[in-house]
Amino acid sequence: MRIPIFFKIVTISLLFSMLSLGLFTVSFATPGGFTPAYFLYMLIIILGISLFVAGSITEPLERLKHGFEKIMSGGNARVEITTGDEFQDLAQAFNHMAQELARQREMLKRSEEKYRLLIEDINDWVFELDENWTYTYSSPKVREILGYEPEEVLGKTPVDLMPEEERAVAAKRIEEIRRRGTAFSGQENTFLRKDGTPVVLETSGRPFFDSSGRLKGYRAVSRDITARKRAEERLAYLAGIAEHSVDAIISLDLEGRIVSWNKGAEMMFGYTEREVLGKLMHTIMPRELWNSCGENFKRAIMNGYARDIETVRLAKDGSRVLVDQTLTTIYNPKGELIGFVAIMRDITKRKEAEEELKRAYMELEKKTKELLRSQKELKYLANIVENSNDAIYSVNLDGTITSWNKTAEKMFGWRKEEAIGMPSHRLLPEEIKNETSFLLQKVREGVKFISYETKRMCKDGTIVDVDVTVSPILDEMGNPAGFSVIARDISSKVKAEEGMLRRILKYDVSRGRVYLIEEPSPNLAEDVLLDLMKCGYSGTIITRRLAEEVGIAGVTWYWLSEKRGKNTVSPDVRAVEAAIMNLPNWNNAVLLELDYLILKNGFRRVFEFVQRIKEAFYFLKKGVLLLSLDPEVLSRKQLRLLKKECCTIRPKREELPPEIFEILRYVYMENRVGRRPSIKEVMHKFGIARNTAKKRIRYLEGKELVKVDRVGRLKLLEVTEKGRELFY
C-alpha cells in the first residue's frame, strides 16, 4: 500500500510522542522523579526518530545524489527506491530523465560523428578562426590543399600563409570584414603551400558570437580554384588572340547559326557582331554556294576539319570577297559535337595576282630560255601562293613565346614544348635582333596592326623570308599583354621580286633602306622616285612645295604646313614620322624634303627622326625612303653625321642614253608578260613624235638590243638575247 511520507512522519511522531507522554506520566507519578530509566527511554525515542528519518528520507536522497553525480560525469545512472512514497515517484522521474538524457547524448554523438565525417570527406578545407583571425580548428583537407598537418596551422593567421606581396592587401580586407562582423563569400587569395608553390583559394565564412552578442570568430570554408583560374586566364588569352586576329574567326552552332564574330570578321565583311549573331552562315554566302557549304560541313564532321577551302563570301555592301577558309569541329567535354569554327583569310588580291601569274605562265611557256626560267619562277611562286597554311605564335611583354601552332613547328623546326617559354629573339637573325623590342614599343604605343615582310631564323640556322602580321593582345583591363604573329613563308617570292627589281631598276636601290640625296633642287630624287614608281612602287612626296610645283602624276602629295587642311602634314617630326609609318602599302617610295623640317625642328630632332625611321624601314621593309637636302643648310659636321645614317644613290652603269634605256626597259617588261608593244604604243607611252620613236628604235636595232617584226601594218618590238643581258 502506498503511504505518503507526510503521513509516515506524522504517524511515527504521534507514536513516539504518546510513548514519551506515557513515560513522562509514569515517571512523574513515581516518587523518585526522573530516573535513569526515563532517560534511557528518551534516548531510545530519539534514536528511533533518527533511524526513521535516516531510513525514510536521507537514504533515498543519497541515492538520488549519487545518480546525479554519475550523470554529470557523463555516465548512465538508475536509482532504485521502493519506499512507496514521493521518493519512489522522484526516483522514477529521475530514471526517466536519465534515460532520455542518455538517448539525447547518443543522438548528439552520432550527429557529431556524422558532421565530423562530412567535414573530413568534402573536397573543401573547413576551419575556424577566433576573433583575432587565428586558426583554432582545421579539417584534415588542409594536407591536400596546402601540404600542412591540421595542427601545424593552428595558432597561425591566413596572412601568415600568403605570399609577401599579397599580405598587405589581404590584411586590409580582413580588418574590414572584422569591423563589419558580417558573413563574407567569394574572397580569392593566393596562399603558399608548404613546399612554396602558390595556390589560389576561394573562401566563404560566417561569424559566431557568445551569449552576450560579442564576436567570437568565424567558421569558414576554402576551395582550391587554382586550376579554374589558370583555365580562365588561358581562355582569356586565347580569346584575345582570336579577337584581335586580322583573319575572320566565326563560331557556329550545329544549325549553322553564328555564335561569335571577331574583329577580323567585322573588318572583312562590314557587319558588327550585333548584326549577325543568331543568323545563318548563309547571310555572308552567295546563294549558288549554299549546297557546297553543306558538303564542307560534312567533310569537317568526318575528318575533324576541312581546310584550304577557297570560296566566295559576301560583304555587307554586297561586294564579293575571295577567302581561304578552314572549317573545324568543336566538341564538348563529353565528346559531343556542338558546333564549328570557320577561319577565313581575304585572298582577293592574292587570287587576282595568281590568275595573272597563271595567264603569264601560259604565254611564257613558248618563249626563249630566259622565258622558260621565268616560267619556272612563276610556277614556284604560284605554289607558294597556293600554300595558305600560316605559322601563328604569340609573345608576352617579356619577349617570351607563349603559344606555338603546328605550322610554326613545320616552318621553324622547334617543337611546341621547345618553343613555349623560349625568347622570341631566337627566331630573329643577328641583324634584326631588336625587332621584338621594336614591336613591343609599338604595341605599348597603341598601334593596332602591323603587317610587313621580314626574316626569321629556323632551328637549323637557315633564314626564311616571311610576311608577318602583328596584332596586339590585350588583357582583361584592356592593357597590352603582348602580341600575336601570323607568319607566312615568302622566301621564294622575295628572291624573285628582288631579283626582278635589281634587273629593271635604273638606280642601285634596295627596299628597307634610307637614301640621302644632296642637291639644291630634288631633281635626282624625283628621277629615282619615278624610276621606282615605274617598277610598281607607290610614290609619296612630303614637301613644302605646292602640288603644281611638283608636277608628278600618280604620286601622293603631302604639304608641310602648320595649318590643318586636306593633304597637309604638320612640320613636327613626330607628325611626319606618323604619316610615313601609316602609309597603307609595304612597297612605298617616299621622297621627303628635309630643308623645311630642319628649319622648324632643329638638326638634333631631325637627326633622331632619321635614326628612328631608318630602323623602322629596315625592320619592317616599309619600302624606300629618299631624303632630299640642300647641303648648304647644314654644317659639314652635321652633314657627315647624317650621311653615316643613310645610303647613297648610285646609278647603274649604262652605255645607253637614258631616254633610249627607258624604251628598252619598257619593251623588256612588256615582253616578260608575253606582249610585244608596237611603235605606236611607244609613242603614246613616252609622249614622243613618230620620227623620234623610230630614230630611238633604230638606235636599239643597230646595237642589236631589239628586233622589229612586221605583223600586217604593225611593227612589233621584242628584246633580243643581248638586250636581256643588260637586265641580269
Side-chain angles (χ1 to χ4, degrees):
M1 184 178 72
R2 185 178 184 277
I3 300 175
I5 192 170
F6 173 76
F7 290 106
K8 289 182 178 181
I9 294 172
V10 171
T11 301
I12 296 300
S13 298
L14 286 175
L15 176 63
F16 282 99
S17 296
M18 292 299 292
L19 181 60
S20 298
L21 180 62
L23 291 172
F24 178 77
T25 302
V26 172
S27 299
F28 185 75
T30 303
F34 294 101
T35 63
Y38 170 77
F39 288 105
L40 178 61
Y41 285 129
M42 289 298 292
L43 181 61
I44 292 171
I45 290 170
I46 293 171
L47 183 60
I49 292 174
S50 299
L51 290 174
F52 170 76
V53 172
S56 300
I57 297 176
T58 307
E59 196 274 336
L61 289 176
E62 188 67 25
R63 290 187 182 183
L64 288 172
K65 175 187 174 185
H66 287 307
F68 276 112
E69 289 176 349
K70 209 169 181 183
I71 289 175
M72 293 298 291
S73 64
N76 295 326
R78 180 174 179 83
V79 177
E80 295 292 340
I81 299 177
T82 57
T83 57
D85 51 22
E86 284 88 343
F87 284 114
Q88 183 174 343
D89 294 339
L90 184 60
Q92 290 175 354
F94 174 83
N95 291 334
H96 178 72
M97 180 194 70
Q99 184 180 0
E100 183 64 23
L101 183 59
R103 189 179 67 83
Q104 292 292 337
R105 282 179 174 172
E106 183 63 26
M107 292 178 62
L108 180 61
K109 181 179 180 182
R110 293 178 182 176
S111 178
E112 289 177 348
E113 181 68 15
K114 181 178 179 181
Y115 178 69
R116 183 184 65 80
L117 293 175
L118 177 63
I119 290 177
E120 292 181 357
D121 290 342
I122 63 176
N123 291 325
D124 299 335
W125 174 30
V126 180
F127 56 88
E128 188 173 292
L129 305 164
D130 63 13
E131 63 272 18
N132 297 319
W133 277 66
T134 300
Y135 291 108
T136 57
Y137 166 75
S138 172
S139 69
K141 201 65 180 180
V142 71
R143 295 192 195 99
E144 297 181 23
I145 294 179
L146 294 180
Y148 291 97
E149 291 298 323
E151 56 271 14
E152 289 184 281
V153 300
L154 300 183
K156 295 183 179 180
T157 67
V159 175
D160 296 334
L161 303 177
M162 295 181 185
E164 188 68 33
E165 62 273 11
E166 190 161 342
R167 292 184 177 181
V169 176
K172 185 177 180 181
R173 192 178 305 162
I174 288 172
E175 185 60 33
E176 178 67 19
I177 294 173
R178 288 176 59 191
R179 186 183 61 81
R180 293 199 309 265
T182 57
F184 63 91
S185 63
Q187 296 293 325
E188 295 183 4
N189 295 100
T190 300
F191 286 70
L192 291 178
R193 288 176 55 86
K194 191 173 182 179
D195 60 7
T197 57
V199 179
V200 182
L201 301 183
E202 181 182 67
T203 307
S204 301
R206 299 186 66 83
F208 62 91
F209 306 87
D210 60 13
S211 57
S212 63
R214 188 171 67 88
L215 178 66
K216 294 294 291 180
Y218 278 84
R219 295 186 179 96
V221 59
S222 289
R223 174 171 296 172
D224 186 353
I225 60 170
T226 308
R228 189 188 79 188
K229 293 295 290 184
R230 289 175 181 169
E232 289 175 354
E233 292 173 359
R234 179 65 176 170
L235 288 174
Y237 196 70
L238 293 175
I241 294 176
E243 180 64 19
H244 296 92
S245 173
V246 294
D247 291 341
I249 302 177
I250 306 168
S251 62
L252 311 166
D253 61 17
L254 293 177
E255 296 179 356
R257 298 186 183 277
I258 297 172
V259 177
S260 68
W261 183 267
N262 76 333
K263 291 292 184 183
E266 184 175 326
M267 294 169 56
M268 189 177 296
F269 302 116
Y271 291 100
T272 63
E273 186 178 30
R274 180 178 297 180
E275 290 177 306
V276 296
L277 286 185
K279 294 185 178 180
L280 291 171
M281 183 71 169
H282 293 166
T283 304
I284 58 171
M285 292 174 54
R287 181 174 293 274
E288 65 269 16
L289 297 179
W290 287 6
N291 292 335
S292 63
C293 179
E295 293 299 321
N296 291 332
F297 279 105
K298 291 179 182 178
R299 284 172 53 201
I301 293 173
M302 293 293 294
N303 302 324
Y305 64 89
R307 67 182 186 182
D308 297 334
I309 304 171
E310 295 185 358
T311 184
V312 178
R313 295 291 179 258
L314 295 178
K316 184 177 181 180
D317 59 6
S319 61
R320 298 168 75 88
V321 182
L322 288 172
V323 299
D324 184 351
Q325 175 179 296
T326 298
L327 191 65
T328 308
T329 51
I330 307 174
Y331 295 88
N332 64 14
K334 296 180 181 179
E336 300 170 341
L337 179 65
I338 59 173
F340 304 87
V341 172
I343 303 176
M344 288 174 276
R345 167 166 293 187
D346 186 350
I347 59 169
T348 305
K349 292 183 179 179
R350 194 199 79 182
K351 291 300 291 183
E352 292 174 355
E354 179 184 330
E355 292 300 322
E356 184 177 345
L357 289 174
K358 287 181 178 178
R359 287 194 297 270
Y361 172 74
M362 295 299 295
E363 293 292 332
L364 292 174
E365 66 180 357
K366 298 178 181 179
K367 302 300 178 180
T368 60
K369 184 178 180 180
E370 167 60 23
L371 294 178
L372 289 174
R373 285 196 296 268
S374 298
Q375 173 187 333
K376 292 179 181 179
E377 178 183 329
L378 290 172
K379 183 179 180 181
Y380 188 62
L381 288 174
N383 289 333
I384 295 176
V385 173
E386 285 293 329
N387 182 10
S388 61
N389 296 326
D390 299 329
I392 303 176
Y393 63 94
S394 56
V395 179
N396 63 16
L397 293 179
D398 296 327
T400 302
I401 296 173
T402 54
S403 68
W404 188 262
N405 73 344
K406 290 185 178 180
T407 306
E409 291 184 352
K410 180 179 178 182
M411 185 180 296
F412 302 125
W414 279 283
R415 298 193 307 276
K416 185 175 183 179
E417 56 269 22
E418 294 177 315
I420 293 181
M422 182 178 76
S424 60
H425 65 73
R426 291 189 62 185
L427 292 172
L428 306 177
E430 188 63 34
E431 62 271 15
I432 56 172
K433 284 292 185 183
N434 295 328
E435 181 180 304
T436 299
S437 58
F438 172 79
L439 294 175
L440 288 173
Q441 178 183 348
K442 293 300 178 183
V443 168
R444 291 188 180 100
E445 291 174 356
V447 176
K448 298 300 182 184
F449 301 105
I450 305 175
S451 182
Y452 60 98
E453 294 180 3
T454 183
K455 298 179 184 296
R456 290 292 182 265
M457 186 166 64
C458 299
K459 183 178 180 180
D460 61 4
T462 58
I463 304 297
V464 294
D465 291 288
V466 291
D467 181 354
V468 301
T469 299
V470 179
S471 307
I473 300 173
L474 306 179
D475 60 19
E476 62 275 7
M477 302 299 294
N479 299 318
F483 59 85
S484 64
V485 180
I486 302 175
R488 176 173 295 174
D489 186 348
I490 57 168
S491 302
S492 299
K493 175 186 173 183
V494 168
K495 290 178 182 178
E497 289 180 350
E498 290 181 352
M500 184 182 70
L501 288 174
R502 280 197 298 269
R503 291 195 294 269
I504 63 176
L505 280 174
K506 186 166 62 174
Y507 294 91
D508 187 10
V509 295
S510 300
R511 189 165 67 166
R513 297 285 194 268
V514 178
Y515 295 90
L516 179 64
I517 304 173
E518 305 171 51
E519 53 183 349
S521 297
N523 299 324
L524 175 59
E526 290 180 356
D527 191 45
V528 176
L529 179 72
L530 287 171
D531 190 50
L532 290 167
M533 291 172 62
K534 290 176 183 178
C535 297
Y537 279 78
S538 298
T540 301
I541 295 181
I542 303 176
T543 178
R544 182 62 182 169
R545 294 179 296 153
L546 298 176
E548 52 268 23
E549 296 179 65
V550 174
I552 299 178
V555 71
T556 301
W557 167 79
Y558 289 101
W559 190 38
L560 292 170
S561 173
E562 296 179 350
K563 302 291 185 181
R564 299 181 65 179
K566 184 179 180 181
N567 292 340
T568 62
V569 176
S570 169
D572 183 82
V573 290
R574 288 290 183 182
V576 175
E577 183 178 356
I580 295 174
M581 293 307 300
N582 290 330
L583 290 174
N585 302 314
W586 297 100
N587 57 338
N588 295 288
V590 183
L591 170 57
L592 173 61
E593 298 178 11
L594 289 181
D595 309 62
Y596 189 62
L597 287 183
I598 294 173
L599 177 65
K600 286 293 183 179
N601 298 272
F603 174 75
R604 180 175 180 177
R605 289 193 67 200
V606 172
F607 182 70
E608 292 172 349
F609 153 74
V610 170
Q611 290 178 316
R612 290 195 303 272
I613 207 75
K614 174 185 177 181
E615 290 183 354
F617 265 62
Y618 183 72
F619 288 137
L620 303 181
K621 301 296 184 183
K622 191 74 176 175
V624 178
L625 178 59
L626 307 173
L627 302 178
S628 175
L629 174 69
D630 185 347
E632 298 297 326
V633 174
L634 300 177
S635 66
R636 290 184 179 181
K637 180 180 179 180
Q638 291 172 337
L639 193 59
R640 284 198 303 271
L641 287 174
L642 200 57
K643 285 181 177 180
K644 288 182 179 180
E645 295 295 327
C646 304
C647 302
T648 304
I649 293 291
R650 294 186 180 87
K652 294 179 180 178
R653 294 184 178 180
E654 300 169 359
E655 298 177 356
L656 300 176
E659 64 276 7
I660 294 179
F661 178 79
E662 287 295 325
I663 294 177
L664 178 63
R665 182 169 65 174
Y666 168 69
V667 175
Y668 171 77
M669 294 177 68
E670 291 293 302
N671 287 173
R672 281 182 58 85
V673 294
R675 295 189 66 256
R676 292 189 297 173
S678 64
I679 295 178
K680 187 175 182 181
E681 288 175 320
V682 172
M683 293 165 51
H684 289 302
K685 173 67 177 178
F686 295 97
I688 55 179
R690 186 176 185 85
N691 287 337
T692 303
K694 287 183 176 180
K695 181 179 178 181
R696 294 177 181 177
I697 290 170
R698 280 197 298 270
Y699 181 89
L700 291 171
E701 280 188 292
K703 294 285 187 179
E704 297 181 351
L705 300 176
V706 298
K707 62 179 180 179
V708 181
D709 293 332
R710 183 181 295 275
V711 179
R713 300 181 60 183
L714 293 176
K715 292 182 178 180
L716 304 181
L717 306 176
E718 184 175 355
V719 178
T720 64
E721 187 69 27
K722 181 179 179 181
R724 282 193 291 271
E725 290 177 357
L726 294 178
F727 299 101
Y728 293 165

